[in-house]
Amino acid sequence: MGLTIAYIIIAIYSIALLLIFFYSLAQLNLLVNYLGYKKQNQTAPKYNLMDAREIPMVTIQLPVYNEEYVMERLLENIAKIEYPKSKLEIQVLDDSTDDSVVDTAKWVKELQATGLDIQHIRRENRQGFKAGALKEGLEVAKGDFVAIFDADFLPDSDWLKKTVIYFKDPEIGVVQTRWGHINRDYSVLTKIQAFALDAHFTLEQVGRNAKGHFINFNGTAGIWRKECILDAGNWEGDTLTEDLDLSYRAQLKNWKFKYLEDVETPAELPVVISAARSQQFRWNKGGAENFRKTVWSVVSAKNIPFKTKFHGVMHLLNSSMFLCVFVVALLSIPTMFIKNIYPQFDLVFDALSFFILSTVILFVCYWFTYKSIQGSSFDNFVDYIKLFFTFFSVALGFSLHNSIAVLEGHMGKRSEFVRTPKFNINSLTESWKGNKYLTKKLSPNMLLEFALMLYFLYGMYLAIPLNDFGLFPFHFMLFLGFGFVFFKSLTARA
C-alpha cells in the first residue's frame, strides 16, 4: 500500500469519525435539554372542551394503500374516538389497487349508518403518493384542524381531547404525540426498532422542542392546524418524507410545534426484515432528499438563532450518519494494515482512539431514554446493555442498505414511495407468513451484505497475526450485524 493512498484513507477515515463525533455531541446537548425540560412545570393555554363554544371542528385523515390486514381494525378503532359527532369528520383517503377497496367501502357505509361523518375518498391515480392523497383530502376537509393516522396506528379514544386543546395558542401549528409499540416484544427485530424509535420520541423530539429547535411531524399520530399547512405551501410529493419537508417549511415561517411525550399512540412495528428494509430506505433517503431541498433555507434564514440552525442541519443530516458509519467500517481493515506498516501514523491513531467517546456518549443518551419508558432498575440496566449492543450491531448491518438510500437522496435520484406492509400481529404466536404484500425479490444488496459479513470475519482474523485487537469488538459487531440482516432477509422470503 502506497504512502499517498495511506494518507487518503486516513483522511477520509478521520473526517467520518469527526462527523460522527459531532453528531454524538449534538445528541448529548439534546439529552441536557431533555433532562432540563422534564424538571420544568409546563403550562400552556388550552381549549375548554366542556364549553361547546370552544370545541373546534376536526378532520381525521386516514391515508391508506392496500391495507387488507389492518383496515377493519383501523376503522373500528377510529370510530371509538370520543368527540362531538357534529364537530368531527373522518376521511378515508384510499389509494388502494387491490380487493381491500370493496371491504373498506362496506365498513365505511356501516359506520355512516351510525351517524358518523366518514367519507371514502378515492383518486384516479396515486400522483404524489401519500402527500398527494393528503393534499386532495385537505381541499374538501371541513375541519380547522387535521389529525393524521397511518393504517397501523390505534389512538386511544380520548386522543383528540388530549391534543386539540393546545391549539388555543394561535402560534401552534402542529401537535405531535409519541409512538407506542403494540408488538415491541415480538422478536429481536421489533425490540431494536422500538429501542431506536423510543430514543427519537424522547431524547430528540423533547430535546429539540424544549429549546425551540426544529422538530418534525412524524407522518402520523399528530394533528395540524389547517391554516399552517396552507401557509407553509401545502403537502408536496417531491421527497419520500413529505412530513419532514412540510415540518421545516412550516417552522421556517415561524409556526410552533408542540410535542406531547406523555400522550402515547400505539402502532405496529414491521415484523419481517424486508418490511423494515423498505421503511428504513424510505426514511433515510427522504432525510437526505430534505437535506438537499431545505438545508440552505435553514442556514440562510434570518429569523432563527445559530444554535437552532446547527441542530436543524444535524437533524437533516441524521440519515447521513449511516454513510459515515459505513465508511468508517469499510476503511477500518485497511487502517489496520496502515497502522502496522507505517509507524509514523502512531500519533494519529492514538488521537483517533479518542473517538470511542462517541459510542460512550450514545450509550449514556440512550440509557436515559430507555429508562424513561422501561424503568431504571438494575435488571432493566442489564437488559439495556444487551439491547444497546444488539441494536448497535444490527444498525451496523443496515449501514450498506441505508447508505445507498442516503446517496440516492443526496444525488437527487427519484424513486417511488414504497409503503411498509402491515401485518395485524398482536401476539408473540401470530405469524407473518402468507402476507401477500411482502416483496419476493432477492435484493442484489443482500449478496454484498453477505460479502461484508465475510469481510469483517477476515478483520477479526487479521487481529491475530497483526497482534492488534483494538478494532476486534467493532468487527465482531459488524460481522454479527451483516450476518443478521443477510440471513433474516433470506428467511423473510421463505
Side-chain angles (χ1 to χ4, degrees):
M1 183 184 297
L3 187 58
T4 302
I5 295 175
Y7 272 112
I8 293 171
I9 289 173
I10 294 298
I12 296 172
Y13 186 73
S14 301
I15 291 169
L17 280 173
L18 190 62
L19 289 172
I20 294 169
F21 181 63
F22 280 140
Y23 170 76
S24 68
L25 289 179
Q27 296 294 103
L28 183 61
N29 182 248
L30 293 178
L31 175 62
V32 172
N33 295 348
Y34 174 74
L35 296 176
Y37 186 75
K38 298 285 280 186
K39 295 176 181 177
Q40 296 174 12
N41 291 322
Q42 308 305 322
T43 58
K46 301 181 183 71
Y47 282 123
N48 177 15
L49 298 185
M50 301 300 292
D51 183 347
R53 295 168 299 179
E54 289 203 32
I55 300 175
M57 183 73 189
V58 174
T59 296
I60 295 177
Q61 291 187 322
L62 308 174
V64 298
Y65 173 69
N66 294 351
E67 304 288 5
E68 177 180 318
Y69 299 102
V70 294
M71 275 307 304
E72 185 175 15
R73 183 182 74 178
L74 170 68
L75 293 174
E76 284 180 353
N77 189 77
I78 291 297
K80 296 175 183 175
I81 292 286
E82 298 167 356
Y83 205 73
K85 285 187 177 180
S86 62
K87 295 288 188 175
L88 180 64
E89 172 196 35
I90 300 170
Q91 295 180 333
V92 182
L93 306 174
D94 191 357
D95 280 356
S96 299
T97 56
D98 66 355
D99 295 339
S100 67
V101 174
V102 176
D103 287 333
T104 299
K106 180 187 73 173
W107 292 323
V108 168
K109 284 185 179 179
E110 290 174 359
L111 290 176
Q112 287 173 338
T114 69
L116 199 62
D117 184 0
I118 181 170
Q119 306 300 321
H120 189 204
I121 299 175
R122 300 271 296 151
R123 297 195 294 163
E124 294 182 358
N125 58 63
R126 289 187 70 209
Q127 184 176 353
F129 305 109
K130 180 180 176 180
L134 293 170
K135 184 175 182 178
E136 189 160 315
L138 193 69
E139 291 176 2
V140 294
K142 303 172 186 175
D144 297 313
F145 304 102
V146 183
I148 300 170
F149 298 103
D150 284 348
D152 54 325
F153 278 74
L154 301 170
D156 291 339
S157 58
D158 61 352
W159 191 91
L160 273 181
K161 294 178 180 178
K162 291 178 178 178
T163 55
V164 75
I165 54 175
Y166 290 97
F167 287 105
K168 178 87 177 237
D169 181 348
E171 295 184 326
I172 297 289
V174 175
V175 174
Q176 174 68 52
T177 64
R178 178 171 61 85
W179 294 5
H181 318 291
I182 60 177
N183 59 336
R184 174 192 296 271
D185 296 321
Y186 183 82
S187 66
V188 171
L189 182 63
T190 58
K191 286 179 181 178
I192 59 177
Q193 289 177 92
F195 181 81
L197 286 169
D198 287 346
H200 169 71
F201 280 98
T202 52
L203 172 72
E204 295 190 1
Q205 290 288 66
V206 176
R208 292 192 181 101
N209 199 220
K211 295 296 184 180
H213 303 326
F214 286 7
I215 67 168
N216 61 296
F217 168 66
N218 293 102
T220 176
I223 181 168
W224 284 81
R225 188 187 296 270
K226 185 177 180 180
E227 179 190 352
C228 173
I229 297 176
L230 298 175
D231 182 54
N234 215 324
W235 296 103
E236 295 180 358
D238 57 347
T239 73
L240 293 179
T241 45
E242 73 294 323
D243 45 4
L244 179 61
D245 172 35
L246 184 58
S247 296
Y248 266 69
R249 284 189 278 119
Q251 288 166 109
L252 283 167
K253 299 205 78 171
N254 292 325
W255 287 99
K256 293 181 180 178
F257 281 31
K258 178 74 175 177
Y259 177 68
L260 303 178
E261 183 188 8
D262 295 333
V263 180
E264 180 183 285
T265 309
E268 179 183 304
L269 293 161
V271 296
V272 62
I273 206 160
S274 60
R277 273 180 178 274
S278 65
Q279 188 179 72
Q280 286 284 310
F281 194 89
R282 187 175 74 248
W283 286 352
N284 284 288
K285 181 172 181 175
E289 287 175 329
N290 273 289
F291 176 84
R292 191 169 184 264
K293 176 178 180 178
T294 308
V295 69
W296 178 245
S297 297
V298 172
V299 171
S300 61
K302 299 285 193 280
N303 59 323
I304 56 176
F306 173 79
K307 198 168 184 179
T308 297
K309 291 182 181 183
F310 171 76
H311 277 288
V313 171
M314 295 306 296
H315 186 193
L316 291 170
L317 277 175
N318 265 2
S319 64
S320 299
M321 287 303 108
F322 276 106
L323 183 58
C324 293
V325 168
F326 183 66
V327 167
V328 168
L330 204 60
L331 296 182
S332 62
I333 292 178
T335 59
M336 291 178 70
F337 284 109
I338 294 170
K339 187 178 180 182
N340 184 257
I341 297 170
Y342 299 109
Q344 61 264 48
F345 287 111
D346 286 351
L347 284 176
V348 175
F349 284 108
D350 287 343
L352 291 177
S353 64
F354 167 80
F355 289 107
I356 190 67
L357 189 60
S358 298
T359 304
V360 174
I361 290 172
L362 293 177
F363 180 86
V364 172
C365 289
Y366 279 38
W367 163 241
F368 278 95
T369 65
Y370 180 85
K371 76 172 185 175
S372 72
I373 296 173
Q374 302 297 330
S376 57
S377 69
F378 178 77
D379 287 343
N380 281 336
F381 183 66
V382 172
D383 290 340
Y384 167 74
I385 293 172
K386 293 185 287 188
L387 188 55
F388 177 83
F389 286 104
T390 303
F391 159 74
F392 205 85
S393 298
V394 176
L396 291 172
F398 269 104
S399 61
L400 169 68
H401 176 78
N402 291 344
S403 292
I404 292 170
V406 167
L407 286 172
E408 286 190 7
H410 283 306
M411 292 187 297
K413 181 181 178 182
R414 300 299 299 274
S415 58
E416 185 174 318
F417 184 102
V418 179
R419 62 178 282 281
T420 304
K422 314 301 188 305
F423 300 85
N424 196 12
I425 289 179
N426 300 306
S427 74
L428 299 178
T429 58
E430 291 178 288
S431 174
W432 50 266
K433 300 213 182 235
N435 187 303
K436 69 181 185 181
Y437 299 128
L438 285 175
T439 178
K440 300 295 190 287
K441 293 187 295 183
L442 193 70
S443 167
N445 294 346
M446 288 172 56
L447 299 177
L448 289 174
E449 286 160 353
F450 178 71
L452 286 165
M453 180 189 74
L454 297 180
Y455 178 66
F456 294 112
L457 179 63
Y458 170 68
M460 292 161 60
Y461 160 77
L462 194 61
I464 299 170
L466 294 180
N467 193 30
D468 183 355
F469 293 90
L471 288 172
F472 189 91
F474 184 47
H475 290 154
F476 180 60
M477 287 192 290
L478 284 159
F479 169 73
L480 290 179
F482 279 107
F484 178 89
V485 171
F486 172 72
F487 286 110
K488 283 291 183 180
S489 297
L490 280 183
T491 57
R493 288 160 176 78

